[in-house]
Amino acid sequence: MAAPPSPQPRVMVLPFPAQGHVMPLMELSHRLVDHGFEVDFVNTDFNHDRVLKAMAAETGATATGIHMVSFPDGMGPDGDRTNIAMLSNGLPAAMLGPLEEMIRSKKIKWVIADVAMSWVLELAVTAGVRVGLFSTFSAAILALRLHVPKLIEDGILDECGAVTRNETIQLSSKMPPIDAAEIPWARMGSSPDRLRVFMKKVLKTNPAISLAATVICNTFEEIESGALDLVPNALPVGPLEAPLASSSSAAGQFWPEDATCLAWLDAQTRGSVIYVAFGSFTVLNAAHFKELADGLELSGRSFLWAVRPNFTDGVVGEGWLDAFQRRVEGKGLVVGWAPQQRVLAHPSVACFVSHCGWNSTMEGLRHGVPFLCWPYFADQFCNQSYVCNVWGTGVKLLADERGVVTKEEIKNKVEQLLSDKKIKARVAMWKQAACASIADGGSSHVNLLKLVNLLRKQ
């Protein structure tokens, strides 16, 4: 009698509950399913409901092999989940018990957890599970985080995380230079009390990062070799993306994608469209919002602008955006949430006005699109430094003395960016390098196979 087939290896995947964290871990999950794994993908109840609503209009959004599960996040129905510090603080108490119970009941041997959820390493002891961490940020940011004790020792930061001496920090010649005033925690809009809590958490969890079986990074060796050298057990497998022909990544979206913009792009001239998107957290005030709109119109170019719900602070004025859309009809298109990877891959797109979140940065690099950089908070300033100072694939949008990025600045920088042949050449070079890294035999492809082999050691 033939032996029964071996069960497929099972992995739990645990992202921090924010859009920019869920998406790359969903894409990694699809790669694991491609290699025969079953994945239990854990959202919070709140985000699980959002994902299901976003998927309602999609077909085939979840691949066979990915099981969507959820647990409470410790906040009430009206809790402010944009308050990252408050959300983070409640997650361990709310989730550790249910996660351990699920691990035991399903006999899960591996958990891949977001670095921001590194408290899950406690389960390595209590539940006997092996833990790999996943960085949704650049390797440079992870290296900078691990370097915090030295920054305190050198007097650049005090023990509460406040910047006491502003100077340029560059841990390696291959890493982006960044002003101390623009390190991620200094740019999160945090109060001194929140900053102190965050710094305490960093200092507590930093040693745990080196205890992980591996640290998976959504990057590739050719662009971050200097930073990767400073991260223990780093395994770069990026750029992580869903196949362009697939809608499977929609399983991780918090808002429904408006795919009608793709047909609109089909009707535009090659290399003519400005694509504008600021991710899931950025909030522009009325002055910035209107200047951006006026700058796009002033440029005289076609544009596709993703304006998600709550993108502005609510004081732009009733009907203003509708009136703007009527005025630019035929030249510009405004959508709520775009299928960004497919947009960036479209031949009509000329450049990307971006907040420089790491996912957007990797996607733009992968598809050979130059950047107009407008960072908002956290690691985005470091990513801007990569784009402008290291890779040379974009330019900065600069605010005036009032702190406003004017319509004239937007128009002028669009013209500068699209007329710069050196930027165009570097964009093409890095696109080629990114594509080579994930092709068979490329550095990230080889590392993905290493990860697969590691996870098979049940």
Side-chain angles (χ1 to χ4, degrees), residues 34-278:
D34 290 344
H35 286 275
F37 287 85
E38 294 282 326
V39 173
D40 292 300
F41 195 92
V42 181
N43 280 309
T44 59
D45 291 343
F46 180 82
N47 285 340
H48 185 69
D49 291 342
R50 298 172 74 187
V51 166
L52 292 182
K53 288 177 182 176
M55 286 169 57
E58 300 284 345
T59 56
T62 308
T64 301
I66 296 181
H67 311 279
M68 307 288 282
V69 296
S70 68
F71 295 113
D73 60 12
M75 301 185 81
D78 300 324
D80 180 8
R81 290 168 174 84
T82 65
N83 185 330
I84 296 173
M86 187 180 299
L87 177 61
S88 299
N89 287 340
L91 289 172
M95 296 186 78
L96 268 174
L99 288 172
E100 180 173 354
E101 183 178 338
M102 180 176 169
I103 287 166
R104 292 184 183 280
S105 66
K106 293 194 174 186
K107 298 181 170 57
I108 294 169
K109 301 300 182 184
W110 272 98
V111 174
I112 296 177
D114 199 314
V115 165
M117 309 282 269
S118 57
W119 43 262
V120 83
L121 281 159
E122 292 182 28
L123 297 177
V125 177
T126 60
V129 72
R130 298 187 72 184
V131 178
L133 294 180
F134 181 93
S135 173
T136 58
F137 306 108
S138 68
I141 290 297
L142 197 51
L144 192 63
R145 171 181 173 147
L146 294 171
H147 199 69
V148 162
K150 187 68 164 60
L151 296 178
I152 294 174
E153 181 184 324
D154 292 345
I156 296 172
L157 303 178
D158 65 20
E159 291 186 355
C160 296
V163 176
T164 53
R165 191 174 78 244
N166 190 18
E167 62 180 54
T168 300
I169 300 169
Q170 190 171 23
L171 305 184
S172 160
S173 61
K174 296 179 182 179
M175 290 173 62
I178 184 168
D179 291 341
E182 292 188 342
I183 56 180
W185 43 90
R187 283 290 193 159
M188 291 185 71
S190 298
S191 67
D193 286 344
R194 287 184 187 172
L195 184 59
R196 191 178 300 112
V197 170
F198 175 80
M199 187 56 53
K200 184 178 180 181
K201 185 173 296 185
V202 166
L203 294 172
K204 178 182 178 181
T205 59
N206 265 0
I209 292 174
S210 62
L211 299 177
T214 186
V215 179
I216 308 156
C217 302
N218 184 17
T219 188
F220 58 106
E221 291 175 1
E222 289 76 8
I223 57 164
E224 285 210 277
S225 60
L228 288 163
D229 288 342
L230 302 177
V231 177
N233 302 321
L235 200 61
V237 299
L240 285 166
E241 274 199 8
L244 291 177
S246 167
S247 64
S248 60
S249 65
Q253 297 284 1
F254 290 179
W255 296 279
E257 293 179 336
D258 186 345
T260 61
C261 64
L262 299 174
W264 182 85
L265 285 172
D266 289 341
Q268 307 306 310
T269 305
R270 186 180 184 91
S272 66
V273 177
I274 304 168
Y275 172 55
V276 188
F278 285 80

Side-chain angles (χ1 to χ4, degrees), residues 127-440:
V129 72
R130 298 187 72 184
V131 178
L133 294 180
F134 181 93
S135 173
T136 58
F137 306 108
S138 68
I141 290 297
L142 197 51
L144 192 63
R145 171 181 173 147
L146 294 171
H147 199 69
V148 162
K150 187 68 164 60
L151 296 178
I152 294 174
E153 181 184 324
D154 292 345
I156 296 172
L157 303 178
D158 65 20
E159 291 186 355
C160 296
V163 176
T164 53
R165 191 174 78 244
N166 190 18
E167 62 180 54
T168 300
I169 300 169
Q170 190 171 23
L171 305 184
S172 160
S173 61
K174 296 179 182 179
M175 290 173 62
I178 184 168
D179 291 341
E182 292 188 342
I183 56 180
W185 43 90
R187 283 290 193 159
M188 291 185 71
S190 298
S191 67
D193 286 344
R194 287 184 187 172
L195 184 59
R196 191 178 300 112
V197 170
F198 175 80
M199 187 56 53
K200 184 178 180 181
K201 185 173 296 185
V202 166
L203 294 172
K204 178 182 178 181
T205 59
N206 265 0
I209 292 174
S210 62
L211 299 177
T214 186
V215 179
I216 308 156
C217 302
N218 184 17
T219 188
F220 58 106
E221 291 175 1
E222 289 76 8
I223 57 164
E224 285 210 277
S225 60
L228 288 163
D229 288 342
L230 302 177
V231 177
N233 302 321
L235 200 61
V237 299
L240 285 166
E241 274 199 8
L244 291 177
S246 167
S247 64
S248 60
S249 65
Q253 297 284 1
F254 290 179
W255 296 279
E257 293 179 336
D258 186 345
T260 61
C261 64
L262 299 174
W264 182 85
L265 285 172
D266 289 341
Q268 307 306 310
T269 305
R270 186 180 184 91
S272 66
V273 177
I274 304 168
Y275 172 55
V276 188
F278 285 80
S280 57
F281 265 103
T282 303
V283 177
L284 296 186
N285 63 31
H288 278 126
F289 184 84
K290 289 182 177 180
E291 287 291 332
L292 174 54
D294 290 344
L296 294 172
E297 186 176 8
L298 187 63
S299 75
R301 292 179 175 270
S302 300
F303 63 87
L304 171 61
W305 185 10
V307 181
R308 65 160 211 284
N310 303 319
F311 178 56
T312 67
D313 58 10
V315 295
V316 172
E318 190 79 28
W320 187 92
L321 184 59
D322 291 337
F324 171 77
Q325 289 179 261
R326 288 194 296 271
R327 194 166 74 242
V328 300
E329 189 174 0
K331 195 70 175 178
L333 179 65
V334 179
V335 298
W337 192 249
Q340 180 161 290
Q341 294 174 9
R342 286 184 281 175
V343 167
L344 290 171
H346 199 284
S348 294
V349 171
C351 64
F352 186 9
V353 181
S354 173
H355 64 308
C356 297
W358 186 244
N359 292 325
S360 293
T361 301
M362 290 296 288
E363 289 163 4
L365 196 75
R366 158 73 177 82
H367 292 293
V369 180
F371 281 79
L372 275 173
C373 301
W374 191 340
Y376 176 65
F377 82 148
D379 65 315
Q380 296 160 11
F381 295 88
C382 180
N383 301 339
Q384 173 184 250
S385 185
Y386 256 143
V387 169
C388 299
N389 301 325
V390 180
W391 307 330
T393 55
V395 296
K396 300 178 183 179
L397 286 166
L398 301 176
D400 64 10
E401 65 278 358
R402 301 168 297 157
V404 175
V405 177
T406 66
K407 57 182 178 289
E408 292 83 9
E409 168 72 0
I410 294 166
K411 174 183 180 292
N412 293 338
K413 287 294 174 66
V414 167
E415 292 176 355
Q416 175 188 332
L417 179 66
L418 297 184
S419 64
D420 193 319
K421 293 181 180 178
K422 291 183 178 178
I423 288 180
K424 186 175 182 180
R426 286 190 291 266
V427 164
M429 177 189 72
W430 286 119
K431 175 183 178 180
Q432 184 178 16
C435 292
S437 74
I438 55 177
D440 286 356

Side-chain angles (χ1 to χ4, degrees), residues 1-17:
M1 183 175 177
S6 299
Q8 291 177 300
R10 198 171 198 100
V11 177
M12 175 187 284
V13 173
L14 179 66
F16 182 80

